[in-house]
Amino acid sequence: MKALSKSKAATIYEVAQHAGVSIATVSRALRDSDLVTAATRARVRAAVEALNYTPNQLGRSLAEGRHAANGIVFPDLTGPYYAEVVLGYEEAASELGRSVLILATHRRRDAEAAVLDLAGRVDGLAVMGNTVGDDTVRAIAATGTPLVLLARPPVDGVDTIRTRNERTATALADHLVAHGHRRFVFAGDPEAAPDMAGRYGGLVKALRAHGLPKPELRPCAYDVEAGESVGRELMADPPDAVVCANDEVALGVHIAAEAAGRSVPEDLAVTGWDDVLAARFAGLTTVSQPMRELGAIAARWLDGRIGERNAGPERAAPRRRVLPTQLVVRRSCGSHPAETPNPLGGTA
C-alpha cells in the first residue's frame, strides 16, 4: 500500500489495514499496552509513520467501543473535600485521555435512576460514599461496567479505595486526653457516611480505653454554617474538646466560640478532619488525608479495568486499598508539655 499524501489525513482503519491488524490492536499498540507484542507494536508504528497518521481520542474510542469518558458520583459537590477529590480524578483521567462526567445525588429523589443512567453513558464509574445502595452497585457491576467505590464499605467483586479513619481518630483522641481534656463532644453524624462512622467509632474506642464516657453527639451537616449552629448551642457550657467530623464544621465552631467571647484553645479545644487550606491558616488541629490521591487512584484503576474488559473476559480479583491519614497538631488543641513549638503553627 502506498503512503497517503500529507494533505489527506489517514484514518485508524487504514492504519489497521496497512499493518494487518484490527483497529483495537492499533489503539492498544499506540498506548504501549502489554496486550500487544513488541513485533506487532513495531508493525503498527511503521504503518503510522508510512501513512502520516495522527491519533485522536475519538478514533481510539471508536476503535475500542468506548465513550472516552468516565463518571464519578458524589453525595454532594459543596466544600473543599469533594473539590480536591474531583481535581485528582479529573487530572488523572485527563492524562489517560478521558473526559469526566460528574453527578451529585444530593436531594435528588431519582438518585438511583440517575446513577444507572450515567453508568450507561460512560466507560467506567467511581461511586463515592452512600450515594446509592449496594443493590444498585451490584446491578451496575453485573452489566460489565468497571466500577470503583470510594469512601464506603466494599461490595463483593468491586474495587474499593478508602482512607484510614478509626485508627487515626483514636490517635487524635489519645492526644486530646494527654492535654487533660475529659469532656468531649463529637460534631457530626456517624450515620450519614461510613467515614464519619469510623471517626466517631475511633473516638469512642479511645475514650473508653481511658475510662472516659462516650462523647456527647451533636449530629449536623458538614459545612461552616452547621458548625456555627452547633458551636452556639455549646457556648453556654462548653466541653473540654469539640471533635468535628471535618474542617468546615470545626471552623464554624471556632467562629461561634469567638463570637461568644470564648477562646480557642484556652476555653475549649476544637479539632477537624481533612486539613484543607483554611485549616492551616486557622491553626486548626486536624487529620490530613490524601484527597487528590483518592480521586487519582480511582481514575487509574478504572482505566486499567476498562483495558481488561476490552481485552477479554478474564478479570483480576477485586482490589481493596486503605490510604493512610495523619494527625496534624496545631494550636487549636492547646500547647502540650512534650511538644516542641513549630514556627509554621504546628508541632514537631
Side-chain angles (χ1 to χ4, degrees):
M1 181 181 290
K2 294 181 180 179
L4 297 179
S5 167
K6 289 188 178 181
S7 62
K8 179 182 178 182
T11 68
I12 193 171
Y13 299 97
E14 291 168 324
V15 172
Q17 183 179 6
H18 190 284
V21 298
S22 69
I23 58 175
T25 299
V26 171
S27 179
R28 292 178 189 133
L30 294 178
R31 290 188 289 111
D32 291 323
S33 171
D34 292 337
L35 299 172
V36 181
T37 65
T40 300
R41 280 201 299 272
R43 197 161 71 248
V44 169
R45 293 191 180 281
V48 167
E49 184 175 350
L51 299 175
N52 299 307
Y53 172 67
T54 301
N56 65 76
Q57 186 57 49
L58 178 59
R60 291 183 181 182
S61 301
L62 292 172
E64 297 181 5
R66 58 186 177 92
H67 306 281
N70 287 351
I72 186 165
V73 181
F74 289 97
D76 202 346
L77 282 175
T78 58
Y81 171 74
Y82 295 120
E84 287 291 310
V85 176
V86 166
L87 281 171
Y89 188 83
E90 197 281 329
E91 286 173 356
S94 178
E95 291 172 0
L96 295 164
R98 298 182 182 277
S99 57
V100 174
L101 300 181
I102 300 171
L103 171 66
T105 60
H106 182 58
R107 294 181 178 175
R108 292 191 66 142
R109 295 183 178 180
D110 65 338
E112 305 272 341
V115 173
L116 288 169
D117 176 70
L118 178 62
R121 297 189 286 117
V122 294
D123 298 309
L125 187 66
V127 178
M128 184 162 216
N130 290 335
T131 46
V132 293
D134 289 356
D135 288 345
T136 301
V137 171
R138 294 188 188 98
I140 296 170
T143 68
T145 299
L147 270 174
V148 175
L149 303 181
L150 302 175
R152 66 178 284 163
V155 173
D156 289 345
V158 180
D159 294 336
T160 306
I161 310 167
R162 294 180 288 173
T163 57
R164 183 174 293 126
N165 285 288
E166 183 173 327
R167 188 188 305 178
T168 313
T170 298
L172 171 61
D174 288 341
H175 181 84
L176 292 171
V177 170
H179 275 271
H181 301 312
R182 297 294 180 266
R183 183 175 161 229
F184 287 75
V185 166
F186 182 83
D189 187 356
E191 296 184 1
D195 277 353
M196 305 308 165
R199 293 166 200 176
Y200 177 70
L203 176 61
V204 170
K205 180 179 179 181
L207 296 184
R208 184 187 302 122
H210 289 285
L212 297 173
K214 281 186 178 182
E216 179 185 345
L217 183 59
R218 293 294 182 105
C220 66
Y222 299 109
D223 53 37
V224 173
E225 291 75 17
E228 286 189 73
S229 178
V230 169
R232 284 192 294 269
E233 295 170 359
L234 295 174
M235 287 309 110
D237 182 22
D240 295 338
V242 183
V243 177
C244 300
N246 69 7
D247 288 342
E248 291 176 273
V249 174
L251 292 169
V253 172
H254 204 301
I255 291 169
E258 289 185 348
R262 300 286 186 178
S263 176
V264 177
E266 285 75 13
D267 295 322
L268 73 159
V270 179
T271 69
W273 197 287
D274 291 335
D275 198 22
V276 301
L277 185 61
R280 303 170 200 179
F281 286 105
L284 184 67
T285 291
T286 185
V287 171
S288 174
Q289 61 173 338
M291 297 172 283
R292 288 200 189 190
E293 186 181 356
L294 187 68
I297 292 173
R300 295 186 190 109
W301 279 17
L302 281 177
D303 189 69
R305 289 300 190 192
I306 292 165
E308 286 181 6
R309 181 190 61 184
N310 293 336
E314 294 295 326
R315 184 177 183 275
R319 290 166 290 189
R320 307 276 187 264
R321 183 177 296 181
V322 179
L323 303 180
T325 54
Q326 183 176 3
L327 175 62
V328 180
V329 177
R330 298 193 179 101
R331 62 179 178 268
S332 72
C333 62
S335 41
H336 193 288
E339 294 167 352
T340 303
N342 184 327
L344 297 180
T347 54

